[in-house]
Amino acid sequence: MDQASPLLQVTGATVRFGADAVLRRVDLNLYPGEVHSLMGENGAGKSTLVKAITGAVPWTEGRMTLAGRDVQIASTEHAIGLGISTVYQEIDLLPNLSIAENVCLGREPRRLGVIDRAAMRRRAREVLEGLGLEVDTSALLGSQSVAVQQLVAIARAISTDCRVLILDEPTSSLDLDEVAELFRIIRELKARGVAILFISHFLDQVYEICDRITVLRDGELVGEYLTDELLRVDLVQKMLGHEGAPLRARDRETPERASGEALVSGRGISAGGVVEADVDLGAGEVLGVAGLLGSGRTSLARALTGVTRLDSGIIRIEGETTDLESPRTAMSLGVVYSSENRRRDGIVAEMSVLDNITLGLQAERGIIRRLPPAHRRELAMSWVDALDIRPADVDRPAGTLSGGNQQKVLLARLLALAPRVLVLDEPTRGIDVGTKVEIQNLVGEMALNGVSVVFISAELEEVLSVGDRVVVLRDGRIVDTVDASSLTTDGLLALVARPDESEV
Amino acid sequence: MTATAVRDETTKESRTMKVESFLGRHAALMPTFAALAILLLLFAGAEAFLRGDFITPRNISALLLDNAYLLVLAVGMTFVILTGGIDLSVGSVMAFTGILGAKLLADGLPVVIAVPAIILGGALIGLVIGVLVQYFNVQPFIASLAGLFLARGLAFVVSLSSIKVEEPAILWLQSTRITVGSWYITPTGIIALLAVAVAAFVLHLTRFGRTVYAIGGSESSARLMGLNVARTKVAVYVISGLCAGLAGLILTAYSGAGYPRNGIGTELDAIAAVVIGGTLLTGGRGYVVGSMVGVFVYGTIKTIISFMGAEQSWMQIIVGALLLLFIVVQRAIVARSEGRR
């Protein structure tokens, strides 16, 4: 494969924001007809490299050649014009426009300078059908589910004659079938000679689809490898820069759950997408929640924390029936919630890490009893230290941190409230392996200190390794509650999948 | 009988499905329909109250004539608000271009120079605001506030008192009445309606127009999608300024004179009309035709109040209340469409 020359070649790419070099002399070679994976922890510089290639951030140094010719990417428009299409990590589409427009915007079919709407809808439908999605292309994008939006973003990227396709975490909101469909498309594009850069935290997916891997660490190049020649253990080690020991699950303490002594107990909870759910959560217990997208796992979390009101059912906390009418009520009872969408419902991106961490505590104390500034700083510093938030600068705007560190800031805010019940909705989604393990370990520590945790994750291994017991949701109903130690990943998969499919 | 019942059921079902898919496609249209409903209610109410003296061809025709300048301003404002911006300068720009035109004509310049000068003058101030917003990162509110003071000052520089216009070509715009029965329309009315039609065309069927909506939806997304955000953002302020210049021409023709104190607070009337017409102040949703409905709602309230001989201050109270109502309606619709997800 090496005899072919790279379609896109990046040499010595350096990007500086102020004094910080986020990317230092990184090389990347994308070959036509090859799927290339860019791997690295959070803050390794993956997103920055992608943005540099697509013209979204300016280069400090380095050069890039496309098909052997030097190019200087001036803007995202320019990159698209050169045939470099990108699907960004967070869906960057326009909820106020139709699906068809989101696919075709900027390159709508025109007749005499006038947009030909029928042709535009037709083209969008063709591309989407190629992705196995049949929707009303005139519907507003905002009215669609996240998975559909993700597919629309991919459709937009492949609807042009792209030579280079960059997929930054395209699978984080897709279910298994949709991922399979996406991989089929990727293979098709590969056969057409498109060079594909695929970024994902799921090692399975990387090994399934990618031919070549480039590893980055702390903004520097570690190396480029052929997937077939790189063992997973080695890959993880190269990403982490030390032995892969933290990947092992925490040593499980045998849960000493006194039966009948539930801290939180819900009976017949119906709210949003969840129907008649019964949940018990003991003190110091970690309850894993497994289920596919749309199985009601988020609805359950929101019902337990007062974000959505119950349609029916009751929730008892320490045996007392409570009406969780708002997140504020829930917080006053020691029940706190971390949303799956940390950028939208979690972090206040413009505020500093310091303010983000102390926000919850200040809100609880009320506006009159201000936390003294010195105390706040000390508090924030201690959390930054305890959770190893990097960079350790509490005055930095939280939005400039990497995803994993933003999640840690969010956790620090909740933990500062000294909660009794912590409801974490996909706390490890879209963050790197190292931080993921840290958060999993943190959950274990919290449980040892008597905090009860509801841990929701799309990754079954994680649910099993973190949870003491696992609640399995399917189509809005709890189908089973099992001890995590008695279950294998395959066993859990069978429970999560539909029964008729699990027969296979 | 069961067969018909079943058929009824299915047609009913397909009808609800149609309604559903229509709502999925056009959730943003609802506030505009609401504005239309309010306009019809106003008409019906006034008609009943004044015992059939309100809905006459004369009154309806006058509605367009009296509000032509406001309609043109609202068209320009719709572009700006759709991108999520605001343009406070239009009232002053209208006054400045009006007095400028009157002065140029009084100095003996021909119409073919004075009229383009008026319109270009407006566009130029719009360009300054647009450049400030886009390239100097000034908040639209502040940039256009600067534009407001600049234009008002320039108007007083041109003249401190009113200048009468005697140029027949300008007066023709106002005095010519193309009549059909007892309905009539003046060239100023035609200009205003043309402005609406052109704007609707541009907004819905050109790439520029769709980029305007895209910026209102999410500016950073629009940029990442490779749309020309910078050019479009400057252009909407130029369009708004251009419309203000055109409104200056129309107002000069309408009142037969240029006056530097014209249009104080008119920018707020234009914004109110746009919002009542269903355009979201945060951008991305709305229709220029809605803004036209908004202007007519505004004009109708004004007419009703003068018919009833009530205090003009009621006008502002009612418009204020309507504005509040519409913003609540919009919030409800946005919340609903988010809840549907």
Side-chain angles (χ1 to χ4, degrees):
Chain A
M1 238 174 226
D2 270 324
Q3 72 275 20
S5 60
L7 178 61
L8 184 130
Q9 185 167 33
V10 173
T11 16
T14 301
V15 174
R16 260 180 237 281
F17 292 132
D20 299 340
V22 197
L23 213 56
R24 278 184 298 275
R25 292 180 301 281
V26 169
D27 304 338
L28 180 72
N29 301 299
L30 300 185
Y31 297 88
E34 216 181 73
V35 183
H36 195 120
S37 176
L38 190 59
M39 303 290 292
E41 284 202 70
N42 272 326
K46 290 173 307 205
S47 296
T48 311
L49 181 56
V50 168
K51 285 189 174 156
I53 294 173
T54 55
V57 301
W59 296 50
T60 314
E61 268 169 51
R63 56 189 278 252
M64 182 163 125
T65 60
L66 187 67
R69 288 177 35 209
D70 261 324
V71 284
Q72 297 244 323
I73 304 281
S75 65
T76 45
E77 274 164 275
H78 186 200
I80 293 166
L82 289 170
I84 304 175
S85 292
T86 314
V87 177
Y88 291 95
Q89 186 172 2
E90 312 277 350
I91 300 168
D92 276 309
L93 292 178
L94 301 156
N96 60 325
L97 297 183
S98 72
I99 290 179
E101 282 185 307
N102 270 290
V103 172
C104 298
L105 209 60
R107 43 172 184 264
E108 299 95 337
R110 290 190 290 191
R111 244 186 300 165
L112 306 172
V114 178
I115 294 172
D116 183 347
R117 296 192 151 216
M120 180 172 78
R121 279 197 295 274
R122 205 161 48 237
R123 200 159 91 186
R125 192 163 51 231
E126 279 163 16
V127 185
L128 287 166
E129 274 170 7
L131 284 169
L133 184 68
E134 280 193 39
V135 285
D136 175 11
T137 53
S138 307
L140 289 181
L141 185 80
S143 64
Q144 306 294 316
S145 71
V146 178
V148 169
Q149 295 191 21
Q150 181 67 269
L151 288 172
V152 171
I154 292 164
R156 175 178 174 82
I158 64 174
S159 69
T160 49
D161 288 328
C162 64
R163 291 194 282 173
V164 178
L165 176 64
I166 301 173
L167 300 166
D168 192 352
E169 289 275 343
T171 56
S172 53
S173 51
L174 301 185
D175 67 25
L176 291 174
D177 287 348
E178 289 163 335
V179 169
E181 200 62 32
L182 174 65
F183 281 7
R184 188 179 63 74
I185 303 288
I186 290 180
R187 292 197 182 96
E188 243 175 66
L189 291 169
K190 191 174 142 176
R192 269 198 254 158
V194 177
I196 297 162
L197 185 64
F198 180 86
I199 302 175
S200 172
H201 288 299
F202 298 105
L203 294 186
D204 285 343
Q205 293 179 358
V206 169
Y207 273 87
E208 186 183 337
I209 195 87
C210 296
D211 307 302
R212 202 182 286 265
I213 297 175
T214 289
V215 182
L216 299 183
R217 187 171 66 228
D218 295 334
E220 289 185 30
L221 180 71
V222 176
E224 185 194 281
Y225 313 90
L226 287 174
T227 313
D228 295 339
E229 296 169 5
L230 186 67
L231 292 174
R232 285 183 190 218
V233 186
D234 296 338
L235 172 61
V236 171
Q237 194 224 317
K238 286 179 199 307
M239 283 160 59
L240 296 177
H242 47 79
E243 291 304 315
L247 245 192
R248 257 182 279 125
R250 75 188 165 94
D251 297 327
R252 186 188 308 284
E253 316 284 326
T254 349
E256 298 163 32
R257 201 161 35 80
S259 52
E261 191 54 38
L263 178 61
V264 178
S265 109
R267 287 286 170 271
I269 299 174
S270 296
V274 69
V275 189
E276 288 176 7
D278 295 344
V279 194
D280 285 307
L281 182 63
E285 183 188 34
V286 181
L287 186 67
V289 177
L292 296 173
L293 203 66
S295 63
R297 51 182 202 222
T298 296
S299 303
L300 180 63
R302 290 178 160 253
L304 286 176
T305 50
V307 180
T308 41
R309 299 291 302 266
L310 301 187
D311 294 332
S312 65
I314 49 167
I315 293 176
R316 289 198 197 91
I317 294 180
E318 285 185 322
E320 271 184 54
T321 307
T322 41
D323 179 17
L324 298 175
E325 58 182 10
S326 71
R328 201 180 165 83
T329 327
M331 276 162 83
S332 69
L333 292 165
V335 181
V336 297
Y337 171 61
S338 147
S339 158
E340 63 180 330
N341 192 338
R342 62 175 164 270
R343 213 173 65 155
R344 200 182 67 193
D345 299 336
I347 287 295
V348 186
E350 295 79 17
M351 274 163 56
S352 68
V353 170
L354 175 92
D355 289 332
N356 266 289
I357 291 179
T358 54
L359 195 62
L361 197 58
Q362 183 64 66
E364 199 191 43
R365 288 168 64 103
I367 198 162
I368 309 295
R369 295 164 53 217
R370 303 255 333 150
L371 285 166
H375 181 188
R376 288 177 54 202
R377 179 163 291 271
E378 195 182 316
L379 187 86
M381 297 272 228
S382 68
W383 281 112
V384 165
D385 202 36
L387 299 186
D388 192 22
I389 294 170
R390 274 173 292 178
D393 174 6
V394 291
D395 296 316
R396 201 181 242 270
T400 63
L401 267 55
S402 66
N405 284 307
Q406 288 186 14
Q407 187 68 47
K408 285 186 186 172
V409 170
L410 196 55
L411 277 175
R413 180 198 298 168
L414 300 178
L415 295 179
L417 295 171
R420 292 190 295 170
V421 180
L422 199 55
V423 179
L424 305 175
D425 194 354
E426 296 213 52
T428 58
R429 171 171 149 194
I431 65 178
D432 67 279
V433 182
T435 315
K436 202 166 182 166
V437 173
E438 284 177 49
I439 287 177
Q440 291 168 358
N441 291 340
L442 185 71
V443 168
E445 274 171 45
M446 296 308 299
L448 281 181
N449 288 324
V451 177
S452 307
V453 184
V454 176
F455 190 91
I456 301 175
S457 175
E459 280 179 65
L460 303 180
E461 294 88 350
E462 190 182 38
V463 175
L464 275 180
S465 69
V466 174
D468 298 319
R469 286 185 307 144
V470 176
V471 165
V472 183
L473 278 163
R474 197 194 302 143
D475 297 333
R477 287 174 190 278
I478 293 186
V479 289
D480 213 343
T481 305
V482 280
D483 269 343
S485 51
S486 67
L487 207 60
T488 62
T489 312
D490 289 340
L492 184 55
L493 186 65
L495 284 174
V496 166
R498 291 209 169 81
D500 50 338
E501 286 171 14
S502 69
E503 302 295 327
V504 184
Chain B
M1 190 175 149
T2 37
T4 41
V6 167
R7 206 170 56 223
D8 274 1
E9 196 88 318
T10 46
T11 51
K12 205 190 222 172
E13 213 161 79
S14 75
R15 202 176 302 143
T16 38
M17 267 172 60
K18 264 184 198 156
V19 170
E20 283 268 304
S21 93
F22 180 82
L23 284 179
R25 294 176 182 189
H26 301 288
L29 260 178
M30 297 319 292
T32 303
F33 281 141
L36 205 56
I38 294 233
L39 182 61
L40 295 178
L41 261 173
L42 280 173
F43 275 165
E47 181 73 5
F49 192 75
L50 299 164
R51 281 174 231 93
D53 267 355
F54 191 75
I55 307 181
T56 60
R58 211 171 63 89
N59 273 346
I60 306 297
S61 302
L63 189 62
L64 179 61
L65 171 66
D66 292 341
N67 294 293
Y69 72 96
L70 187 62
L71 185 51
V72 174
L73 287 182
V75 166
M77 188 67 78
T78 308
F79 277 85
V80 176
I81 292 183
L82 277 175
T83 64
I86 196 93
D87 188 352
L88 297 178
S89 72
V90 294
S92 300
V93 172
M94 178 175 75
F96 163 58
T97 53
I99 191 81
L100 179 70
K103 171 89 169 143
L104 291 179
L105 291 169
D107 289 353
L109 265 85
V111 179
V112 285
I113 294 179
V115 170
I118 287 178
I119 293 169
L120 283 180
L124 203 66
I125 295 179
L127 179 68
V128 171
I129 296 172
V131 167
L132 278 177
V133 169
Q134 178 58 33
Y135 295 103
F136 293 87
N137 236 336
V138 181
Q139 289 292 321
F141 187 95
I142 299 298
S144 63
L145 191 63
L148 181 155
F149 287 121
L150 172 71
R152 187 65 67 188
L154 286 175
F156 285 120
V157 169
V158 173
S159 167
L160 285 172
S161 55
S162 129
I163 301 176
K164 210 163 158 43
V165 173
E166 275 150 28
E167 172 65 41
I170 300 288
L171 297 178
W172 172 84
L173 287 176
Q174 174 63 21
S175 53
T176 313
R177 301 208 167 177
I178 302 158
T179 52
V180 179
S182 23
W183 297 82
Y184 68 87
I185 189 166
T186 58
T188 52
I190 294 173
I191 291 173
L193 291 181
L194 266 179
V196 173
V198 170
F201 171 81
V202 167
L203 281 174
H204 293 283
L205 292 173
T206 66
R207 283 189 184 168
F208 168 75
R210 299 324 287 167
T211 306
V212 168
Y213 278 88
I215 293 173
S218 162
E219 196 177 326
S220 65
S221 293
R223 194 169 287 131
L224 285 179
M225 284 171 120
L227 304 177
N228 197 331
V229 171
R231 197 182 62 197
T232 307
K233 265 178 80 183
V234 173
V236 294
Y237 289 95
V238 172
I239 288 172
S240 179
L242 199 133
C243 284
L246 195 58
L249 175 68
I250 292 175
L251 188 65
T252 306
Y254 179 69
S255 55
Y259 182 51
R261 286 187 195 280
N262 264 340
I264 291 177
T266 308
E267 59 278 349
L268 301 179
D269 296 341
I271 294 169
V274 170
V275 172
I276 289 175
T279 301
L280 219 57
L281 266 179
T282 47
R285 286 171 196 227
Y287 298 92
V288 71
V289 175
S291 301
M292 182 170 78
V293 175
V295 168
F296 288 151
V297 167
Y298 182 90
T300 306
I301 297 171
K302 210 154 85 176
T303 313
I304 291 172
I305 284 171
S306 68
F307 260 66
M308 287 168 33
E311 279 277 328
Q312 277 298 321
S313 48
W314 279 102
M315 167 82 204
Q316 303 194 333
I317 292 171
I318 294 173
V319 169
L322 265 186
L323 212 54
L324 203 64
L325 178 77
F326 270 78
I327 286 169
V328 171
V329 168
Q330 287 184 357
R331 286 305 313 163
I333 285 166
V334 169
R336 219 184 95 100
S337 72
E338 271 169 9
R340 283 162 54 92
R341 227 182 274 177

